[in-house]
Amino acid sequence: MSARRFDGRVAFVTGAARGLGEAIAAAFVEAGACVVLADVDPAVGATAGRIDPGGTRTLALPLDVRDEAAFSAAFDDAVARFGAVDVMVNDAAITAGGSPWTLSLDAWDTVMAVNLRGTFVGCRIAGAHLRARGRGRIVNLSSFAGLHPSRASGLHYAASKAGVLALTRGFAMELAPHGVTVNAVAPSAIEGPQLDAIDAARRDALLAQVPVGRFGRADEVAAAVLWLASDAAGYVTGETIELNGGRAMR
C-alpha cells in the first residue's frame, strides 16, 4: 500500500491537540492528507504547527464538540478551506474514573456530553456531507472499557464508550447504501497522557494483564484508524477493531 495513499484527501480529527488525536492527525499528514485538527485545547494550533511546519496541509480550529452549532461551523470552515472532507475521526473524549456511589450527576452529564453526544454530532454532521458526496469514511474512538467495563474505569466513561459502539453500528447501517463506512477503534493501555497520570504500582498491575508484555503505542492506534479510512477497508463497516495486546481475545 502506498505511503502516500491519502494524497488529495481531507481528514477532520477531533480531540487532535494531544495524545491519540495528535498521533492520528500526524499519521494522516504523513500519508499525504490535508488535516483539520479540532480541539477545545488551545494547544491545537501548536500541534498543527508541529506536524505540518509549513502550514499548507493543516487547519487548526477551536471546538467544543458538545456545541452542535460550533461543530457545524467548524466543519463548514474545513470545507471552505479544503473543498470537502473525506474522513471524519471522532476522538474527542474525557477519560474519567471513580466510584458509581460517589459519582455526581454533573460529572456523568459532562462525560456523556463530550464522549457520546459529541460523537453523535460529529457522525451526523460528517455523515450528511459524506452521504451527499456518495463516499467517505467515519472512524470513532471507543475504548476497551466500552467492551469490558471494570472498576478501574468509571461507569460513566464505560457507558459512554459502549454508546459510541452503538452509534457506530447505527450510522453504519444508515450510510452503507451511500458509499460511506463507519467503524470504531477500541484501544487499551496505550502509552500517553492517560498512562502517564497513574502511579507506578497501577502501571505494573495493568501491564501484568497484557499478554504481549508491553503497552501499546499511539502510532499503532493511528495505523488502525488509517486502515479503516483507506480504500482497502471499503468492505468493512459497523465493525470495531480492538487494540489491547491480547487482554481480551475472541
Side-chain angles (χ1 to χ4, degrees):
M1 189 178 292
S2 169
R4 305 288 293 181
R5 63 192 184 278
F6 287 95
D7 278 349
R9 299 190 188 182
V10 179
F12 190 114
V13 183
T14 68
R18 62 186 189 124
L20 293 181
E22 177 181 358
I24 292 164
F28 272 116
V29 169
E30 185 177 355
C34 292
V35 182
V36 180
L37 294 85
D39 204 304
V40 71
D41 185 343
V44 68
T47 301
R50 190 161 54 249
I51 67 175
D52 176 34
T56 59
R57 291 196 291 119
T58 57
L59 173 65
L61 296 174
L63 176 62
D64 183 338
V65 297
R66 296 172 294 184
D67 186 335
E68 184 177 22
F71 208 143
S72 183
F75 201 88
D76 288 346
D77 287 345
V79 173
R81 169 69 181 274
F82 295 119
V85 171
D86 301 283
V87 181
M88 180 74 203
V89 180
N90 290 298
D91 172 68
I94 295 174
T95 303
S99 166
W101 310 114
T102 57
L103 174 68
S104 73
L105 291 182
D106 284 344
W108 171 279
D109 289 344
T110 298
V111 167
M112 287 294 176
V114 174
N115 298 7
L116 189 54
R117 181 169 121 179
T119 298
F120 171 73
V121 171
C123 285
R124 185 160 68 174
I125 290 171
H129 175 79
L130 298 173
R131 180 181 61 188
R133 298 189 72 210
R135 60 184 175 88
R137 302 281 188 265
I138 298 175
V139 184
N140 297 323
L141 271 290
S142 182
S143 167
F144 184 86
L147 291 155
H148 314 281
S150 72
R151 289 182 175 176
S153 58
L155 280 182
H156 51 334
Y157 177 74
S160 71
K161 289 300 188 178
V164 167
L165 298 178
L167 286 180
T168 297
R169 293 188 293 269
F171 274 105
M173 292 178 64
E174 289 285 334
L175 293 170
H178 305 282
V180 181
T181 67
V182 188
N183 293 288
V185 172
S188 169
I190 306 299
E191 291 281 9
Q194 290 179 236
L195 277 183
D196 292 344
I198 67 176
D199 59 48
R202 287 179 61 201
R203 281 177 64 97
D204 290 345
L206 179 57
L207 184 58
Q209 301 173 25
V210 184
V212 301
R214 67 172 176 85
F215 293 124
R217 302 190 310 270
D219 66 287
E220 293 173 315
V221 178
V225 172
L226 262 66
W227 182 75
L228 288 171
S230 73
D231 292 341
Y235 200 54
V236 179
T237 196
E239 296 296 331
T240 300
I241 295 180
E242 295 189 58
L243 294 94
N244 59 43
R247 288 184 71 193
M249 302 184 189
R250 55 179 178 154

